Amino acid sequence: MQTSALAVAGLGMGTGTAVADTNWAKLCKRLGNRLVLPQDPGYDQLRMPWNHVYAHRRPAAIARCVRPEDVQACLDFASHERIPVAARSGKHSYAAYSLPENGLVVDLAGIAAVDVAGRRARVGAGAQLLPVYEAIGAAGQALPAGTCRSVGIGGLTLGGGISVIGRKYGLTCDRLVSARIVTPDGCLRTASAHEEPDLYWALRGGGGGNFGIVTQFTFRTDPAPGLTVFALSYPRAASADVFDAWQEWMAQAPDELWSSCTVEAGPVSSARVGGAYVGTAKNLVPLLDRMPPAERTFQEMGYLETMRYYAGNPSSGFPFVASSRMLRHHVPGSRVAALMDGQRDGAILFDSFGGALNRVAPDATAFPHRDARTSAQIFFGAGDRTEAETRRVVAAVRDGLGAGTTGYVNYIDPEMPDWPTAYYGRNLARLRRVARRYDPDRVLAFPQGL
């Protein structure tokens, strides 16, 4: 399904026979043994996406880039050969758009250096989150970004970037000072408030893969704060009441408090609440007292310790289907509980918005969901049911939330209804103009590309 859609979206970018005729020797002359073809050792391990639903995908080649010139060579080659091409940072694209069938993967893992000087961090676009945190935290600084250790900084930033300290410090893309980007014409550009300002605007929330391939980000950091991490546990039958209380609690919370509420499937659904507070346990406890009584734990941690805590254990991925909604209003807990009662697995992960996230105008960056109270990630494993079955379940839960035509592009769903509006809202028209300016020939086209 997605291969045929890619061929259509590519406006002539070839697949099948055209790929068989591709002159890979030409690109090999520029990249040497860093161009990995299907017959080469390590190809299968290198191509494997984090979402194993797409483990069957076989790109025609994987280019292991180590400098911007390699990226320029790849885009020049893909443009002339008219083959699908996509950048890859951490392999976490939920729809595996960074792994185009019969296309060229521009693997940025070799462009991953992190340099911190004062309150600026220069980060290679192939860096994964845990190494980013290790470098920034070691310098006594902090950057709001995601949690999973192996997520790539590239895709995370370009789609927005939800963080456990985001209500205090904003989205990851809000901290972006500038980006070095190779556009499909082969030019290495700097996008900032003063250079290529439209492109700079689009890179802050406009989604990965739409305008070019970023090779380096420069972020503004802040002195690393002390945090208190907490967890609240509730009886299984209390999910409706817990979710109702959590929404009201977070609507009144100070910027320093971020939390998530996870409603898990089961014969009877269950809910748990966790989060992080920028400050001491002494100041957190009165805030926790405003939630229904629970079994609770909390611990003071430094910034880097907190990021390690949330990073989780190493994983090579698994099969799953996911989708999302952005909630602007209170959603009844009874509705959420009913959606998850009787399901044999899966969860809805609600992350709190508000604070600094909502004090940015919806059109100041490409990220449009500045009025959201909560993001909702619907996440179901696909290991013991077919992909089609899992998609039906996920769609029913997504649409049952009743949150309108909204979604978070970093949880990209290939079957999201009216996905352009859901992901980009009123910023869609401007984003499409930027995409046409920098990629008029649609070299970087993919099924849900601009």
Side-chain angles (χ1 to χ4, degrees):
M1 176 185 69
Q2 291 176 7
T3 300
S4 60
L6 183 60
V8 172
L11 298 181
M13 290 294 184
T15 56
T17 302
V19 171
D21 295 336
T22 300
N23 183 11
W24 293 107
K26 181 179 177 182
L27 185 58
C28 190
K29 286 181 180 179
R30 300 181 70 172
L31 299 180
N33 62 8
R34 289 184 287 106
L35 182 67
V36 180
L37 302 174
Q39 65 269 25
D40 292 334
Y43 168 84
D44 281 322
Q45 181 179 1
L46 188 60
R47 73 174 174 85
M48 186 63 67
W50 196 69
N51 186 354
H52 290 183
V53 162
Y54 302 99
H56 61 279
R57 288 270 183 91
R58 294 184 66 82
I62 302 171
R64 297 179 297 174
C65 299
V66 297
R67 56 185 182 175
E69 290 83 358
D70 296 340
V71 177
Q72 290 174 300
C74 289
L75 285 180
D76 179 67
F77 180 82
S79 177
H80 281 87
E81 295 288 331
R82 302 191 66 77
I83 59 170
V85 59
R88 186 175 73 182
S89 180
K91 299 186 177 183
H92 278 256
S93 170
Y94 277 14
Y97 289 142
S98 59
L99 192 71
E101 183 77 13
N102 291 327
L104 174 61
V105 176
V106 182
D107 191 319
L108 302 171
I111 307 177
V114 183
D115 297 308
V116 185
R119 294 183 59 176
R120 291 289 187 272
R122 292 193 304 276
V123 182
Q128 297 181 1
L129 291 187
L130 186 57
V132 171
Y133 288 136
E134 293 286 353
I136 290 175
Q141 295 293 297
L143 176 71
T147 51
C148 179
R149 65 173 57 220
S150 58
V151 162
I153 191 69
L156 177 91
T157 302
L158 296 172
I162 299 172
S163 167
V164 303
I165 57 173
R167 297 184 80 251
K168 177 69 173 178
Y169 296 100
L171 296 170
T172 310
C173 71
D174 294 336
R175 318 296 291 189
L176 184 64
V177 175
S178 66
R180 296 282 281 167
I181 179 172
V182 179
T183 46
D185 60 1
C187 291
L188 177 60
R189 306 171 187 266
T190 297
S192 69
H194 307 292
E195 300 176 79
E196 313 282 358
D198 284 344
L199 183 57
Y200 172 63
W201 174 86
L203 294 177
R204 291 175 293 155
N210 281 314
F211 315 103
I213 297 179
V214 175
T215 61
Q216 185 184 75
F217 300 93
T218 299
F219 296 104
R220 175 172 52 88
T221 61
D222 277 290
L227 295 111
T228 304
V229 174
F230 64 91
L232 310 177
S233 301
Y234 294 92
R236 176 167 290 277
S239 58
D241 291 339
V242 170
F243 186 59
D244 280 332
W246 178 79
Q247 291 178 88
E248 295 307 314
W249 183 53
M250 289 310 304
Q252 305 299 322
D255 292 2
E256 289 76 12
L257 179 64
W258 168 89
S259 76
S260 64
C261 180
T262 300
V263 179
E264 295 185 333
V268 177
S269 60
S270 60
R272 53 187 168 85
V273 173
Y277 175 72
V278 181
T280 64
K282 177 182 177 181
N283 291 333
L284 170 64
V285 168
L287 297 172
L288 297 182
D289 289 341
R290 299 176 189 175
M291 277 290 285
E295 181 179 327
R296 67 192 191 189
T297 60
F298 48 86
Q299 182 180 353
E300 292 183 358
M301 299 182 182
Y303 166 78
L304 180 53
E305 186 181 6
T306 300
M307 296 304 105
R308 289 170 177 161
Y309 169 84
Y310 277 107
N313 295 319
S315 169
S316 58
F318 55 93
F320 67 89
V321 171
S323 193
S324 62
R325 287 296 188 206
M326 304 297 292
L327 311 185
R328 297 189 176 102
H329 308 288
H330 185 101
V331 174
S334 58
R335 181 188 303 170
V336 173
L339 289 170
M340 301 305 287
D341 287 345
Q343 304 279 8
R344 68 176 184 265
D345 65 4
I348 311 176
L349 292 71
F350 298 96
D351 286 316
S352 58
F353 268 55
L357 299 171
N358 291 41
R359 284 195 290 272
V360 177
D363 60 354
T365 69
F367 184 86
H369 307 297
R370 298 295 182 170
D371 58 350
R373 292 178 59 170
T374 305
S375 66
Q377 178 181 188
I378 303 100
F379 200 97
F380 279 72
D384 62 350
R385 56 163 71 94
T386 67
E387 179 186 350
E389 282 182 281
T390 312
R391 291 202 181 281
R392 284 194 292 271
V393 172
V394 167
V397 174
R398 176 197 65 214
D399 297 340
L401 287 173
T405 306
T406 60
Y408 178 38
V409 71
N410 278 356
Y411 305 147
I412 201 163
D413 173 3
E415 297 189 357
M416 172 71 83
D418 191 11
W419 61 266
T421 301
Y423 294 139
Y424 303 116
R426 294 182 179 180
N427 291 333
L428 176 62
R430 183 178 175 187
L431 281 167
R432 281 179 164 159
R433 288 195 297 271
V434 176
R436 294 297 176 270
R437 176 182 172 188
Y438 287 96
D439 189 12
D441 297 324
R442 304 198 70 191
V443 173
L444 292 166
F446 63 97
Q448 288 178 293
L450 293 169

